[in-house]
Amino acid sequence: MHGVKRVKPSAEVEKLRKEREAIKIKEYNNLVASCFAKKTNFEYDEGAFDITTKILSQNPDFYTVWNFRRLILLNGTFKDCSLEEKQDRLGSELLFLQEIFKLNPKSYWIFNHRRWCLETIPDPDWHNELALVDKMLDMDSRNFHGWDYRRYVISKLTMHGDLKSLIQNEFDFTTTKINQNFSNYSAWHQRSKLLPKLIKEKNLNDQEIKEIINREFELVKSAFYTDPDDQSSWLYHRWLIGREIRHISILGAYFNRKRCQIILVFDDEIGMLSPFQVFCKSEKSSTINNINGDWQSLGVVEGGSVNIGDKIHGFFWIFTPSSQDIENEDFTELFFTVKPEWIVSSNSETILDKIIQRGCTIKKSENEKDILISMTSKTVIEDVSEQTINISSDLIHHESQETLPIDKSERIALLQREISTIRELLELEPDSKWCLQTLANLLREFKRINNSKEVKNFEVDEIVTIYDKLIVIDKMRAKRFEDLRSKIIFENSIRRFIQSADDLTSEMQQILSESSDNFLNIFKKLFCKPYHLAE
Amino acid sequence: MTSIEKPNNLLVDLHVKYIQSLDTKKDDLEYWFTEHLRLSGVYWGLTALDLLKNVNTLNREDVVKYVVSCQHDNGGFSGHIGHDPHLTHTLYAVQILVIEDALDSVNTEKIVEYVKSRQDPQTGAFTGDEWEEIDTRFSYCAISCLSLLKRLDAIDVKKAIEFIMLCKNFDGGFGNTPGAESHAGQIFCCVGALAIVNSLHLIDADLLSWWLCERQLKNGGLNGRPEKLEDICYSWWVLSALSILGRLHWINKEKLIEFILAAQDPESGGFADRPGDMVDIFHTLFGIAGLSLLGYPDLKSVDPVYCLPKYVVQRIGLAEKYHI
């Protein structure tokens, strides 16, 4: 039971308790029995109502009794009563709820019944409800029932009145709560919902929006300067900075004739949720057949070493058909399909928004010479699997900068400003894990967005050093930081390769022609040279 | 006065005895006050026993008979005989029947109808019962239930997903309704539901897993929201979500195992919300299920999406759709 200390009473105390409880049990069970008897017989009278009062005062989680109580009011009490009587009756119902709420501030059923009362009462006083919820959140500023109820009351008030003043009002309410206690995560959360609405509603120009956002940066800065260990403000800061949402695309798709393998190169690391589909057309018939086989990724594991054969994450995905599927298969065309719901991006800010389909024709004569055939986006067969569920992308990402009107150079300036803010704090708090990981995040984003030649390896070195430190400081989450460190190292080397390749196909061709027995080993050599920090 | 004993190994026999004893506590007022949780109690107890390799402790015939007696004409199940039907209890009933391999003892088509009737065609949300409370918990109940019955075709899955996505927040987590704060329990529901309908790609996996692993406190326990107290049930809600997202290693397993084991009652069995508190069957299941996910020895493996023993999920032919 939540928060009830375990005590082992003596046998005698236990005996006394049971004797006392025996009487209560009998009384309670009699009440429940008569309640259910009336319920079964549809007796919606005042006697039944009183019984529900007695039961619910003791046990407000008895949902069936709440249901019955509402049925009594609807089918009995309200049958032949005036609006005034109904108003009075539900008014006392609200008072009753207030009483038992004091004993059980976290019961879902009490809040459900309260909502029902207010939706049923002829003239609901929503302002009174707002005053009540203010009190509730004064008593416990994190009670999520309280915050839920507040949003509900606000939505009702909005329906009846002035929308504009309320968003500002609610925004100011979160400011008050945050100023009372910077660690009020519920208030920061609420703010993340209100800020975009506020900007939209006020119809501000770009300059005004920037001013509002800058005031947010000031607020969050004073919060983490006050308590650098409090995660609330840091998580809000992460959101405020936002991330560039990028679309994943495929850099190249190749068919390696010698090994009968398909190699896909993505511009970001992706994980596979469902195997990508491979099909072929054979010489004999025009039918298209599914080819079974195994997908392997080139991904990254602890310490930056490459991980082969795992289905976790990778820039490169290699398909090897099961031997029985290709033996005696004289196919002339080859296709593959990748759907958005089959992949998950390892970097949260990237998404695949459309189906990728590519294919190639295989000519027998060019057999030995042409090891690598580039697969281009040609017309591929119709979908053979279940229908794709397309979810609008604004339901997927919730980034502040969607409302922030800044271009790339302004974003770079913003990142630079925040990087120096965090560096200053880090001088005062050299071991703050939140400070350190925020800096690492900012540097990573800065490196990505600022893709120019000046941004050399040193950022990566610095990021790696930060993660090394975090692994020591935050032992509970050391594995996460090891993962992040590996990722940045691997990503950096692979991006360097992709960027330096003038022609990816010929570069791939070269790798393959150099390859002896183990094709994967070549990749390993190329992309994952042991990483050394700059001296 | 003795200091509170903190066990450091799993007290299997005591837990089996504790679960067995639950229906004999009729001289406790609490037994009667929690009558509306009787059916869920059977699910928590039976699943815990199965993970402890003691599923036969409860008489199968009695269990099935009891579950059947909780079904109503509209197809839904209630928390106890004669109580009102509700979507959460309907899922508990189906979970119990799947464990006991006894789905044929009820009218499953009626269940499908009931679950279907709980979806709001406009928003895709699910209501708990005819009094129309909306919550992503109910989205999970509906999706999990229909998936176990292999009848997901009965509802509008796309709409259901869209509603869940409306509940997503700035931290990558999910709340109970659109606008509500992220909470580990709701995150389990939303991640689990999205896993079942093959939509894990909609989750901000790195961001959410970061938030989830920050739930671990110095004592090894996990809380459900920032700056709140640790609680054994979060070792399930947080762990299952991390496991589905393939990042279970982002928390410190040893410290968490230590914390869960310390929450056992070394005299009478069962787990409490945290060391030193009174035990209950709810926390007992989530303590054991958490240990199972953490790979603790001598326990059957638990499925992080369905919160059922893995072999049960495999037996009915449902594929694993997670560990990305």
PDB file of all heavy atoms in Angstrom, chain A residues 416-436:
ATOM      1  N   GLN A 416      25.594  29.125 -30.149  1.00  0.00           N
ATOM      2  CA  GLN A 416      26.858  29.667 -29.622  1.00  0.00           C
ATOM      3  C   GLN A 416      26.629  30.402 -28.300  1.00  0.00           C
ATOM      4  O   GLN A 416      27.393  30.228 -27.352  1.00  0.00           O
ATOM      5  CB  GLN A 416      27.487  30.610 -30.652  1.00  0.00           C
ATOM      6  CG  GLN A 416      28.283  29.848 -31.685  1.00  0.00           C
ATOM      7  CD  GLN A 416      28.762  30.734 -32.810  1.00  0.00           C
ATOM      8  OE1 GLN A 416      28.057  31.663 -33.226  1.00  0.00           O
ATOM      9  NE2 GLN A 416      29.960  30.463 -33.315  1.00  0.00           N
ATOM     10  N   ARG A 417      25.554  31.180 -28.256  1.00  0.00           N
ATOM     11  CA  ARG A 417      25.250  31.925 -27.027  1.00  0.00           C
ATOM     12  C   ARG A 417      25.008  30.951 -25.862  1.00  0.00           C
ATOM     13  O   ARG A 417      25.557  31.109 -24.768  1.00  0.00           O
ATOM     14  CB  ARG A 417      24.005  32.788 -27.243  1.00  0.00           C
ATOM     15  CG  ARG A 417      23.703  33.696 -26.067  1.00  0.00           C
ATOM     16  CD  ARG A 417      22.347  34.361 -26.216  1.00  0.00           C
ATOM     17  NE  ARG A 417      21.276  33.440 -25.901  1.00  0.00           N
ATOM     18  CZ  ARG A 417      19.986  33.690 -26.159  1.00  0.00           C
ATOM     19  NH1 ARG A 417      19.626  34.827 -26.762  1.00  0.00           N
ATOM     20  NH2 ARG A 417      19.051  32.827 -25.834  1.00  0.00           N
ATOM     21  N   GLU A 418      24.198  29.920 -26.135  1.00  0.00           N
ATOM     22  CA  GLU A 418      23.887  28.968 -25.061  1.00  0.00           C
ATOM     23  C   GLU A 418      25.117  28.165 -24.657  1.00  0.00           C
ATOM     24  O   GLU A 418      25.308  27.855 -23.492  1.00  0.00           O
ATOM     25  CB  GLU A 418      22.738  28.051 -25.480  1.00  0.00           C
ATOM     26  CG  GLU A 418      21.389  28.747 -25.530  1.00  0.00           C
ATOM     27  CD  GLU A 418      21.043  29.493 -24.236  1.00  0.00           C
ATOM     28  OE1 GLU A 418      20.981  28.850 -23.178  1.00  0.00           O
ATOM     29  OE2 GLU A 418      20.855  30.732 -24.303  1.00  0.00           O
ATOM     30  N   ILE A 419      25.947  27.846 -25.631  1.00  0.00           N
ATOM     31  CA  ILE A 419      27.179  27.116 -25.302  1.00  0.00           C
ATOM     32  C   ILE A 419      28.024  27.948 -24.345  1.00  0.00           C
ATOM     33  O   ILE A 419      28.536  27.438 -23.341  1.00  0.00           O
ATOM     34  CB  ILE A 419      27.966  26.750 -26.591  1.00  0.00           C
ATOM     35  CG1 ILE A 419      27.248  25.604 -27.326  1.00  0.00           C
ATOM     36  CG2 ILE A 419      29.410  26.349 -26.270  1.00  0.00           C
ATOM     37  CD1 ILE A 419      27.774  25.305 -28.714  1.00  0.00           C
ATOM     38  N   SER A 420      28.112  29.263 -24.606  1.00  0.00           N
ATOM     39  CA  SER A 420      28.964  30.054 -23.705  1.00  0.00           C
ATOM     40  C   SER A 420      28.289  30.239 -22.342  1.00  0.00           C
ATOM     41  O   SER A 420      28.972  30.257 -21.314  1.00  0.00           O
ATOM     42  CB  SER A 420      29.376  31.377 -24.345  1.00  0.00           C
ATOM     43  OG  SER A 420      28.247  32.181 -24.543  1.00  0.00           O
ATOM     44  N   THR A 421      26.939  30.340 -22.318  1.00  0.00           N
ATOM     45  CA  THR A 421      26.241  30.396 -21.021  1.00  0.00           C
ATOM     46  C   THR A 421      26.565  29.161 -20.186  1.00  0.00           C
ATOM     47  O   THR A 421      26.881  29.246 -18.996  1.00  0.00           O
ATOM     48  CB  THR A 421      24.706  30.445 -21.232  1.00  0.00           C
ATOM     49  OG1 THR A 421      24.384  31.573 -22.026  1.00  0.00           O
ATOM     50  CG2 THR A 421      23.963  30.524 -19.914  1.00  0.00           C
ATOM     51  N   ILE A 422      26.480  27.999 -20.826  1.00  0.00           N
ATOM     52  CA  ILE A 422      26.705  26.746 -20.101  1.00  0.00           C
ATOM     53  C   ILE A 422      28.176  26.629 -19.669  1.00  0.00           C
ATOM     54  O   ILE A 422      28.481  26.184 -18.567  1.00  0.00           O
ATOM     55  CB  ILE A 422      26.296  25.526 -20.956  1.00  0.00           C
ATOM     56  CG1 ILE A 422      24.836  25.636 -21.431  1.00  0.00           C
ATOM     57  CG2 ILE A 422      26.499  24.218 -20.191  1.00  0.00           C
ATOM     58  CD1 ILE A 422      23.799  25.682 -20.355  1.00  0.00           C
ATOM     59  N   ARG A 423      29.060  27.096 -20.532  1.00  0.00           N
ATOM     60  CA  ARG A 423      30.485  27.037 -20.166  1.00  0.00           C
ATOM     61  C   ARG A 423      30.772  27.885 -18.915  1.00  0.00           C
ATOM     62  O   ARG A 423      31.553  27.489 -18.056  1.00  0.00           O
ATOM     63  CB  ARG A 423      31.364  27.538 -21.319  1.00  0.00           C
ATOM     64  CG  ARG A 423      31.516  26.545 -22.457  1.00  0.00           C
ATOM     65  CD  ARG A 423      32.719  26.950 -23.312  1.00  0.00           C
ATOM     66  NE  ARG A 423      32.645  26.449 -24.672  1.00  0.00           N
ATOM     67  CZ  ARG A 423      32.988  25.217 -25.038  1.00  0.00           C
ATOM     68  NH1 ARG A 423      33.413  24.351 -24.128  1.00  0.00           N
ATOM     69  NH2 ARG A 423      32.916  24.840 -26.303  1.00  0.00           N
ATOM     70  N   GLU A 424      30.102  29.049 -18.852  1.00  0.00           N
ATOM     71  CA  GLU A 424      30.289  29.904 -17.668  1.00  0.00           C
ATOM     72  C   GLU A 424      29.829  29.191 -16.405  1.00  0.00           C
ATOM     73  O   GLU A 424      30.510  29.190 -15.382  1.00  0.00           O
ATOM     74  CB  GLU A 424      29.468  31.200 -17.814  1.00  0.00           C
ATOM     75  CG  GLU A 424      30.158  32.280 -18.619  1.00  0.00           C
ATOM     76  CD  GLU A 424      29.191  33.405 -18.975  1.00  0.00           C
ATOM     77  OE1 GLU A 424      28.306  33.725 -18.144  1.00  0.00           O
ATOM     78  OE2 GLU A 424      29.308  33.937 -20.096  1.00  0.00           O
ATOM     79  N   LEU A 425      28.655  28.565 -16.505  1.00  0.00           N
ATOM     80  CA  LEU A 425      28.131  27.865 -15.330  1.00  0.00           C
ATOM     81  C   LEU A 425      29.034  26.689 -14.961  1.00  0.00           C
ATOM     82  O   LEU A 425      29.252  26.390 -13.788  1.00  0.00           O
ATOM     83  CB  LEU A 425      26.698  27.381 -15.600  1.00  0.00           C
ATOM     84  CG  LEU A 425      26.015  26.582 -14.499  1.00  0.00           C
ATOM     85  CD1 LEU A 425      25.960  27.360 -13.180  1.00  0.00           C
ATOM     86  CD2 LEU A 425      24.600  26.182 -14.901  1.00  0.00           C
ATOM     87  N   LEU A 426      29.558  26.060 -15.974  1.00  0.00           N
ATOM     88  CA  LEU A 426      30.412  24.898 -15.754  1.00  0.00           C
ATOM     89  C   LEU A 426      31.681  25.273 -14.975  1.00  0.00           C
ATOM     90  O   LEU A 426      32.226  24.453 -14.234  1.00  0.00           O
ATOM     91  CB  LEU A 426      30.771  24.265 -17.109  1.00  0.00           C
ATOM     92  CG  LEU A 426      31.155  22.796 -17.111  1.00  0.00           C
ATOM     93  CD1 LEU A 426      30.071  21.931 -16.481  1.00  0.00           C
ATOM     94  CD2 LEU A 426      31.421  22.340 -18.533  1.00  0.00           C
ATOM     95  N   GLU A 427      32.111  26.516 -15.143  1.00  0.00           N
ATOM     96  CA  GLU A 427      33.279  26.950 -14.372  1.00  0.00           C
ATOM     97  C   GLU A 427      32.977  26.976 -12.885  1.00  0.00           C
ATOM     98  O   GLU A 427      33.829  26.667 -12.053  1.00  0.00           O
ATOM     99  CB  GLU A 427      33.737  28.327 -14.849  1.00  0.00           C
ATOM    100  CG  GLU A 427      34.641  28.215 -16.058  1.00  0.00           C
ATOM    101  CD  GLU A 427      35.061  29.562 -16.585  1.00  0.00           C
ATOM    102  OE1 GLU A 427      35.145  30.504 -15.784  1.00  0.00           O
ATOM    103  OE2 GLU A 427      35.293  29.659 -17.804  1.00  0.00           O
ATOM    104  N   LEU A 428      31.715  27.338 -12.557  1.00  0.00           N
ATOM    105  CA  LEU A 428      31.302  27.341 -11.146  1.00  0.00           C
ATOM    106  C   LEU A 428      30.960  25.940 -10.660  1.00  0.00           C
ATOM    107  O   LEU A 428      31.123  25.599  -9.499  1.00  0.00           O
ATOM    108  CB  LEU A 428      30.067  28.243 -10.958  1.00  0.00           C
ATOM    109  CG  LEU A 428      30.172  29.682 -11.438  1.00  0.00           C
ATOM    110  CD1 LEU A 428      28.800  30.344 -11.431  1.00  0.00           C
ATOM    111  CD2 LEU A 428      31.150  30.447 -10.561  1.00  0.00           C
ATOM    112  N   GLU A 429      30.403  25.137 -11.573  1.00  0.00           N
ATOM    113  CA  GLU A 429      29.900  23.808 -11.211  1.00  0.00           C
ATOM    114  C   GLU A 429      30.535  22.761 -12.120  1.00  0.00           C
ATOM    115  O   GLU A 429      29.858  22.168 -12.954  1.00  0.00           O
ATOM    116  CB  GLU A 429      28.373  23.767 -11.394  1.00  0.00           C
ATOM    117  CG  GLU A 429      27.598  24.783 -10.610  1.00  0.00           C
ATOM    118  CD  GLU A 429      27.394  24.347  -9.165  1.00  0.00           C
ATOM    119  OE1 GLU A 429      27.660  23.162  -8.852  1.00  0.00           O
ATOM    120  OE2 GLU A 429      26.979  25.193  -8.368  1.00  0.00           O
ATOM    121  N   PRO A 430      31.836  22.515 -11.956  1.00  0.00           N
ATOM    122  CA  PRO A 430      32.515  21.655 -12.934  1.00  0.00           C
ATOM    123  C   PRO A 430      31.995  20.216 -12.960  1.00  0.00           C
ATOM    124  O   PRO A 430      32.197  19.520 -13.951  1.00  0.00           O
ATOM    125  CB  PRO A 430      33.980  21.701 -12.483  1.00  0.00           C
ATOM    126  CG  PRO A 430      33.955  22.185 -11.081  1.00  0.00           C
ATOM    127  CD  PRO A 430      32.737  23.013 -10.908  1.00  0.00           C
ATOM    128  N   ASP A 431      31.308  19.777 -11.905  1.00  0.00           N
ATOM    129  CA  ASP A 431      30.853  18.389 -11.877  1.00  0.00           C
ATOM    130  C   ASP A 431      29.342  18.248 -12.011  1.00  0.00           C
ATOM    131  O   ASP A 431      28.792  17.193 -11.709  1.00  0.00           O
ATOM    132  CB  ASP A 431      31.310  17.705 -10.583  1.00  0.00           C
ATOM    133  CG  ASP A 431      32.809  17.494 -10.569  1.00  0.00           C
ATOM    134  OD1 ASP A 431      33.376  17.384 -11.688  1.00  0.00           O
ATOM    135  OD2 ASP A 431      33.395  17.464  -9.482  1.00  0.00           O
ATOM    136  N   SER A 432      28.677  19.315 -12.482  1.00  0.00           N
ATOM    137  CA  SER A 432      27.226  19.188 -12.647  1.00  0.00           C
ATOM    138  C   SER A 432      26.931  18.348 -13.874  1.00  0.00           C
ATOM    139  O   SER A 432      27.258  18.703 -15.002  1.00  0.00           O
ATOM    140  CB  SER A 432      26.591  20.571 -12.804  1.00  0.00           C
ATOM    141  OG  SER A 432      25.344  20.440 -13.448  1.00  0.00           O
ATOM    142  N   LYS A 433      26.261  17.217 -13.649  1.00  0.00           N
ATOM    143  CA  LYS A 433      26.042  16.306 -14.775  1.00  0.00           C
ATOM    144  C   LYS A 433      25.072  16.900 -15.782  1.00  0.00           C
ATOM    145  O   LYS A 433      25.182  16.655 -16.976  1.00  0.00           O
ATOM    146  CB  LYS A 433      25.556  14.952 -14.280  1.00  0.00           C
ATOM    147  CG  LYS A 433      24.105  14.915 -13.848  1.00  0.00           C
ATOM    148  CD  LYS A 433      23.587  13.485 -13.886  1.00  0.00           C
ATOM    149  CE  LYS A 433      22.068  13.495 -13.852  1.00  0.00           C
ATOM    150  NZ  LYS A 433      21.447  12.223 -13.954  1.00  0.00           N
ATOM    151  N   TRP A 434      24.107  17.681 -15.289  1.00  0.00           N
ATOM    152  CA  TRP A 434      23.133  18.277 -16.213  1.00  0.00           C
ATOM    153  C   TRP A 434      23.791  19.333 -17.079  1.00  0.00           C
ATOM    154  O   TRP A 434      23.514  19.451 -18.264  1.00  0.00           O
ATOM    155  CB  TRP A 434      21.954  18.858 -15.430  1.00  0.00           C
ATOM    156  CG  TRP A 434      21.102  17.763 -14.882  1.00  0.00           C
ATOM    157  CD1 TRP A 434      21.152  17.220 -13.636  1.00  0.00           C
ATOM    158  CD2 TRP A 434      20.114  17.016 -15.608  1.00  0.00           C
ATOM    159  NE1 TRP A 434      20.257  16.191 -13.530  1.00  0.00           N
ATOM    160  CE2 TRP A 434      19.599  16.042 -14.715  1.00  0.00           C
ATOM    161  CE3 TRP A 434      19.616  17.073 -16.909  1.00  0.00           C
ATOM    162  CZ2 TRP A 434      18.603  15.129 -15.095  1.00  0.00           C
ATOM    163  CZ3 TRP A 434      18.624  16.177 -17.283  1.00  0.00           C
ATOM    164  CH2 TRP A 434      18.131  15.218 -16.382  1.00  0.00           C
ATOM    165  N   CYS A 435      24.673  20.067 -16.445  1.00  0.00           N
ATOM    166  CA  CYS A 435      25.413  21.084 -17.155  1.00  0.00           C
ATOM    167  C   CYS A 435      26.284  20.427 -18.235  1.00  0.00           C
ATOM    168  O   CYS A 435      26.286  20.841 -19.394  1.00  0.00           O
ATOM    169  CB  CYS A 435      26.278  21.804 -16.120  1.00  0.00           C
ATOM    170  SG  CYS A 435      26.754  23.418 -16.597  1.00  0.00           S
ATOM    171  N   LEU A 436      26.965  19.370 -17.851  1.00  0.00           N
ATOM    172  CA  LEU A 436      27.864  18.684 -18.786  1.00  0.00           C
ATOM    173  C   LEU A 436      27.111  18.083 -19.967  1.00  0.00           C
ATOM    174  O   LEU A 436      27.511  18.236 -21.118  1.00  0.00           O
ATOM    175  CB  LEU A 436      28.650  17.590 -18.044  1.00  0.00           C
ATOM    176  CG  LEU A 436      29.791  18.071 -17.160  1.00  0.00           C
ATOM    177  CD1 LEU A 436      30.237  16.967 -16.203  1.00  0.00           C
ATOM    178  CD2 LEU A 436      30.972  18.534 -18.023  1.00  0.00           C
TER     179      LEU A 436
END
